[in-house]
Amino acid sequence: MRKQIMKQRLISIAFALYAFTGISQQFETLYDHNGFSNDGGAIIKSGNNYLTTHPATDPLNGFTTLVAYFNEEGDLLWDTTLTSAISTFSQSNWNINILASTTEQEKWIIGNYGNMQDEILVPFLQKFSVFGESLQLEILDMLSDQSPNVYGGIITDSGIYLVCTNNDITDNTEGLIIKCSPEGIYQWHETFDTGFVFSPKCITDVGDGFVVGGWRYATQQDQENNHGDQIIIKFNYSGNSIWTNILNNGLNPNLGAIGIVPLNNGNYLFAGTRYVDNVSIQPLVGEMDAATGDTLWTRAYFAPHSINRLHGFKKLDSGGYLGVGECRVDVIPESAFGPLDNAAFIMKLDDEFNLMWKKVFIPEGYTELESSPAQCQLNDFVENDNGSITALGRVYMYTGKGPQGGYIQDSYLIRIDSLGCLVSGCSVGITEFEPNQNLLVYPNPTNGDVTIEFPQRDNWSIDLLNMQGQLVLQKQFNQIIQCRLVLQNLPSGVYTFKCTDSNEQLYLHKIIKQ
């Protein structure tokens, strides 16, 4: 019985019929279009259905954007590729290339248009109906001299704003803000020079302007050494920059801001990822002063030597915050690249930014390539009316029968309930792949005491660490198979048990102290 429960906790790979409040079931599916190599990019709700974009490679015509429409059960209703033999429609970013429109039945797709005859690269805006009809195409060829490379956009009451970088290598520190009318008609553009190579990752309307987040290389040496900083810039609606926030992590790079959320106190919450001593990648959130852009505080998550990278982050209507991304865990036994493989993950924070749960996902049949590790990640998500989450990402893995030399690169679409469960029986609390499946800690969450059941009778050393990696409790026991610990005096939060047996075998387990 325990093995069955642990299997459900540690790996969610089954297509299960699991009703949640009687409204649609969870699902997991891989999406492919005619053998294209594609990633899951952006997802937006349309009624109970989902419109999605997928940066992809057309085997005949080069880079393209796939547009697809799924129902609430994950069934594909229609899809199309935008690129033709004459023109390409590509993406520079994963998850900020779908915008709402004046009606629920219409959405804008944005990206980069290339004309093979004129060799130009300019932004495009294409409006689709939820029935798969292309209603309007705007190509901003009046900007061909600027070589703008679109990374994302927002739609406000006054119109559409696009954030771009300069595709010209001689002006690669220059960016553009482009303003279009709500009908998609070009109105103006403003340039800004950051003085460094800037890669935007998110854009958010904040009521008196908009905030753009991403990451930068300050020097050529930074690019060569993959060192960079998180950067956030606030603009007014006229396209002028108000302030710039640069978050530096010493000699270790930050991987940029990927989500910005206005807070009730008027300030902004940002989410990103940082390196620590070149051995750890940790999700990072922090608060900025809305008037000055100053960083007020930051907070990192998960163990100091873990690898967890965020790609999407938003505030939930039901309360709290959700982040999606990729992490490194032991998925594939006897992997040629060691015990750490790549898997998708979702983490949920409460309104006070405390970690509520983390869940890890891989698709059925997940296996690695002979020449490189498999990859699985989530890039974007939407919240459904009942609090469940539908998330979109990508999978890159060897199948032996895949259309691209035996491997596939397909989009990964899952729907989980509000507790992070993909299958029935999923437990509440922190769950992830762990070094050993035989350590059992309960109750979890706990209001006070916990019981630890070890896999065998042995001499055990127990360390309890808080979210900052600080040791808060240490115990040693001789020849036990079970013990009970009192945690009533500890503050609420997420803790990690590190248990070591006499052979120095390490066992990890996270708990929530309420």
Side-chain angles (χ1 to χ4, degrees):
M1 181 65 179
R2 181 190 299 177
K3 290 183 178 180
Q4 180 181 1
I5 294 174
M6 294 300 290
K7 181 178 180 181
Q8 290 171 335
R9 289 182 62 242
L10 297 172
I11 183 167
S12 301
I13 61 174
F15 292 89
L17 298 178
Y18 175 60
F20 180 73
T21 65
I23 306 175
S24 82
Q25 63 195 34
Q26 288 93 300
F27 63 77
E28 174 191 63
T29 185
L30 294 179
Y31 161 70
D32 177 54
H33 177 88
N34 295 335
F36 285 26
S37 174
N38 75 92
D39 298 339
I43 181 170
I44 192 170
K45 283 294 293 293
S46 178
N48 290 325
N49 297 331
Y50 311 103
L51 185 70
T52 59
T53 55
H54 309 261
T57 301
D58 186 325
L60 296 178
N61 299 313
F63 295 114
T64 187
T65 298
L66 300 175
V67 183
Y69 196 60
F70 297 88
N71 66 17
E72 61 181 341
E73 306 298 336
D75 300 319
L76 179 66
L77 301 180
W78 57 262
D79 63 354
T80 185
T81 176
L82 302 188
T83 290
S84 67
I86 300 175
S87 304
T88 62
F89 295 81
S90 60
Q91 302 292 333
S92 299
N93 208 355
W94 278 314
N95 53 12
I96 46 176
N97 50 53
I98 307 180
L99 309 179
S101 183
T102 53
T103 70
E104 178 67 21
Q105 302 297 310
E106 300 172 356
K107 309 293 181 185
W108 287 105
I109 308 297
I110 62 174
N112 300 303
Y113 168 82
N115 186 304
M116 297 181 184
Q117 294 178 338
D118 299 333
E119 296 183 351
I120 64 170
L121 182 71
V122 294
F124 77 86
L125 302 92
Q126 189 163 7
K127 184 185 290 185
F128 273 89
S129 76
V130 296
F131 305 106
E133 303 168 306
S134 177
L135 304 177
Q136 182 181 345
L137 174 62
E138 298 294 335
I139 297 174
L140 307 188
D141 52 7
M142 71 287 294
L143 297 172
S144 58
D145 292 341
Q146 303 290 331
S147 299
N149 197 10
V150 180
Y151 275 79
I154 56 170
I155 187 165
T156 70
D157 293 338
S158 61
I160 297 171
Y161 294 87
L162 306 179
V163 58
C164 310
T165 62
N166 197 321
N167 198 53
D168 189 338
I169 191 64
T170 62
D171 294 317
N172 61 2
T173 66
E174 188 177 79
L176 290 85
I177 300 297
I178 301 173
K179 169 71 180 302
C180 297
S181 70
E183 293 74 34
I185 307 302
Y186 168 82
Q187 293 185 330
W188 53 256
H189 73 274
E190 292 286 342
T191 61
F192 63 94
D193 196 329
T194 59
F196 39 74
V197 178
F198 176 43
S199 179
K201 295 295 181 184
C202 59
I203 178 171
T204 301
D205 186 10
V206 292
D208 61 346
F210 51 92
V211 180
V212 176
W215 67 298
R216 71 157 190 175
Y217 290 125
T219 66
Q220 180 66 35
Q221 185 177 1
D222 286 336
Q223 296 186 57
E224 294 172 355
N225 297 330
N226 197 31
H227 284 181
D229 299 318
Q230 175 177 290
I231 179 170
I232 300 172
I233 308 174
K234 182 174 181 179
F235 296 88
N236 62 24
Y237 289 127
S238 297
N240 302 312
S241 60
I242 306 301
W243 50 251
T244 299
N245 172 300
I246 298 176
L247 186 63
N248 183 278
N249 195 31
L251 297 177
N252 301 301
N254 290 315
L255 300 181
I258 51 82
I260 299 169
V261 178
L263 295 171
N264 293 334
N265 64 6
N267 290 333
Y268 311 137
L269 183 75
F270 66 84
T273 312
R274 71 174 185 181
Y275 276 118
V276 181
D277 298 328
N278 293 322
V279 297
S280 174
I281 301 178
Q282 295 178 294
L284 181 76
V285 303
E287 182 178 351
M288 293 181 299
D289 186 292
T292 65
D294 294 336
T295 299
L296 303 179
W297 56 263
T298 63
R299 183 173 182 179
Y301 298 85
F302 307 130
H305 294 283
S306 63
I307 297 178
N308 303 268
R309 181 173 181 176
L310 286 176
H311 293 303
F313 184 88
K314 299 174 187 176
K315 182 175 176 61
L316 299 174
D317 292 336
S318 57
Y321 304 85
L322 200 81
V324 300
E326 58 183 305
C327 64
R328 303 299 297 276
V329 293
D330 189 2
V331 180
I332 304 166
E334 300 179 358
S335 166
F337 293 86
L340 294 179
D341 304 297
N342 187 279
F345 85 96
I346 300 178
M347 60 182 288
K348 185 176 182 180
L349 308 181
D350 63 19
D351 289 325
E352 302 299 323
F353 319 116
N354 299 305
L355 183 66
M356 298 179 67
W357 50 257
K358 171 189 174 183
K359 300 293 170 70
V360 178
F361 306 93
I362 60 170
E364 188 173 10
Y366 190 71
T367 185
E368 69 176 3
L369 293 159
E370 294 180 358
S371 58
S372 64
Q375 296 180 347
C376 183
Q377 67 187 60
L378 293 170
N379 299 321
D380 196 15
F381 66 91
V382 292
E383 183 181 13
N384 300 301
D385 293 340
N386 62 349
S388 63
I389 301 296
T390 303
L392 178 66
R394 70 165 180 175
V395 171
Y396 177 71
M397 65 179 180
Y398 184 77
T399 65
K401 300 179 181 179
Q404 297 116 24
Y407 73 89
I408 63 169
Q409 182 171 322
D410 290 339
S411 297
Y412 185 41
L413 184 66
I414 65 173
R415 178 166 177 160
I416 60 174
D417 69 19
S418 60
L419 297 176
C421 297
L422 179 61
V423 296
S424 178
C426 173
S427 66
V428 180
I430 308 299
T431 63
E432 58 182 311
F433 292 90
E434 301 175 74
N436 194 291
Q437 300 183 13
N438 295 323
L439 189 70
L440 189 61
V441 182
Y442 59 90
N444 187 14
T446 178
N447 291 317
D449 301 351
V450 296
T451 297
I452 304 177
E453 292 187 8
F454 300 103
Q456 72 273 344
R457 186 175 298 278
D458 204 341
N459 298 333
W460 289 94
S461 175
I462 303 171
D463 293 342
L464 184 63
L465 308 178
N466 62 18
M467 288 186 59
Q468 289 72 45
Q470 300 166 328
L471 182 65
V472 297
L473 180 68
Q474 190 172 47
K475 296 285 186 180
Q476 290 186 340
F477 299 95
N478 294 326
Q479 292 302 305
I480 63 167
I481 196 170
Q482 177 178 305
C483 71
R484 185 167 174 265
L485 298 178
V486 179
L487 307 181
Q488 290 179 342
N489 295 329
L490 292 178
S492 299
V494 178
Y495 295 84
T496 300
F497 275 109
K498 294 178 62 177
C499 302
T500 307
D501 64 18
S502 59
N503 294 318
E504 300 299 322
Q505 173 69 49
L506 177 65
Y507 299 75
L508 300 177
H509 199 101
K510 285 187 173 67
I511 66 162
I512 298 176
K513 169 63 168 56
Q514 295 179 331

